Amino acid sequence: MDEQYMKMALDLAARARGRTSPNPMVGSVIVKNGAVVGRGYHKKAGTPHAEIHALKEAGEAARGATIYVTLEPCCHHGRTGPCTEAILSAGIKRAVVAMTDPNPLVAGKGLDILRKAGVEVVSGLLAEEAAKLNEVFIKYVSTGMPFVLLKTAMSLDGKIAAYTGHSRWITGSASRAYVHHLRDSYDAILIGIGTLMADNPSLTARLSCPEDGVKGKDPVRVIVDSLARTPPEAKVLTQISAAPTIIAITAAAPEERVQKLVAAGAQIIIAGNGPKIDLPYLFKSLTAIDITSILIEGGAAVNASVLEQKLADKLLWFIAPKIIGGKEAPGPVGGRGVAAVSEALLLERISVQRFEEDICLEGYLRK
C-alpha cells in the first residue's frame, strides 16, 4: 500500500511539470485508516509546498495519519515556511519519503527533525522514480549548472536536411507534437545562428491539446550568435510571446548590430571574446537567472560543440523512416569527430518509443 500511495504522490507531482522551476516537483498524499484524506502538489515557485496543500485538505484528519512525500520535507525558511514544522503541528505520526533532498539546506536535516520529534520515518521508497522526475532539479542544485537535453531528428540514413538545406519535415506530426510538450516543460530552448538563418523558427510551445486546460508555456529562447548576425525582424524577436529572447554574443560582435538587437527587444549575454561562444560560461550565466533546464534544438555545429564539451546530460534522437541521401546533406553532429570508434561517446539507461512511424531513442550520456 505504501508503494501505491507513493505512486499517487508522484503522479500529483508530475502535474506541475515545467511550472516549478527553480524548485522541484513534489507531490504529497495523506492517508488515515486506509483512506486518502489529503492530496497536494507544489504548483509554482513561491507558492505553498505539496505538504501544505495536502495538510490543508486533510484538516483534523491529519492527526495520527501517514504522509507520503516524493521529496524530503524542507526544514528551512525560504519564500515559504518549513514543511517539517507544519507536519509536526498537524500531528502526523508516520512519514514515507521517496528521496532525500540534494539541496544542502535540507539534505537529510528534514528527516532528522521528524525522527527526533517522534515521527516514524521511512525513506527511499520509489527513489529511482522520484529522482528521474526531478533530474533537472538534482543537476541544478548539485552542480549549479542547468540540465541539458539535446534533441535531434534525422532520416534513416542519418541526414537532418537535404543537400539544399531543406529540412521540413524530417519527422511526422506525432513526433513534432511531443517536442512541443518538451518545450513547454523546459526553461529554455537553444539553437545556433545557422539554424535561425536557415529556418527562421518561432521556438514556441504550441500544444495541440493542452491537458486540464493548461496553456502552453513558451521557453526562454537562446540564440548562440557570436557576431550578432540575428536579423532584428526574425520571428524570435517579433512574435507575441511572454518569454524573452536571449542572444549570446562574443566581445567581437559589431556594436551597431548589437544595439539593433537590443532595440528589437533582445536580451544580450556576452559569452567570451571570440571567435566562438563560451558555452560553459553561457550555461552558468543562464542558471544565474533561474534557467535550470535547456532543450538544445540546434544544428550540426551546435550539437557538436555541446557533445564535445560534454555539456549534454540526456539525448533524444528521433529517426524517421525516410532516406534522403547525398554526400553533401548534413548529419546531426558536425565538428571533427573522434579518430577511432573506440573513442565514441556512449549512452546508458537507454529506452526506445514509437511516435506513429518514427522511432525515438532516449539515453543519458555516460560521463
Side-chain angles (χ1 to χ4, degrees), residues 21-22 134-149 186-188 190 278-296 305-306 309-313 367:
S21 181
N134 275 315
E135 59 189 8
V136 167
F137 173 75
I138 292 170
K139 167 79 181 295
Y140 165 69
V141 80
S142 301
T143 69
M145 291 290 281
F147 184 90
V148 177
L149 170 63
Y186 271 70
D187 290 344
L190 183 148
D278 183 337
L279 287 176
Y281 178 85
L282 172 60
F283 288 5
K284 190 73 174 179
S285 299
L286 293 173
T287 60
I289 54 174
D290 286 343
I291 291 177
T292 65
S293 58
I294 302 173
L295 173 62
I296 307 286
S305 294
V306 170
Q309 296 179 66
K310 295 182 169 52
L311 294 172
D313 298 287
K367 302 298 183 181

Side-chain angles (χ1 to χ4, degrees), residues 32 87 100 131 142 176-177 179 181 209 238 246 249 302 326-327 329:
K32 188 173 184 180
I87 289 171
T100 57
S142 301
R176 299 197 301 273
V179 170
H181 280 276
C209 51
T238 58
I246 296 172
I249 65 171
V302 166
K327 63 180 181 180

Side-chain angles (χ1 to χ4, degrees), residues 14 60 166 259 333 366:
E60 281 301 312
H166 185 268
Q259 289 309 313
V333 182
R366 187 176 297 176

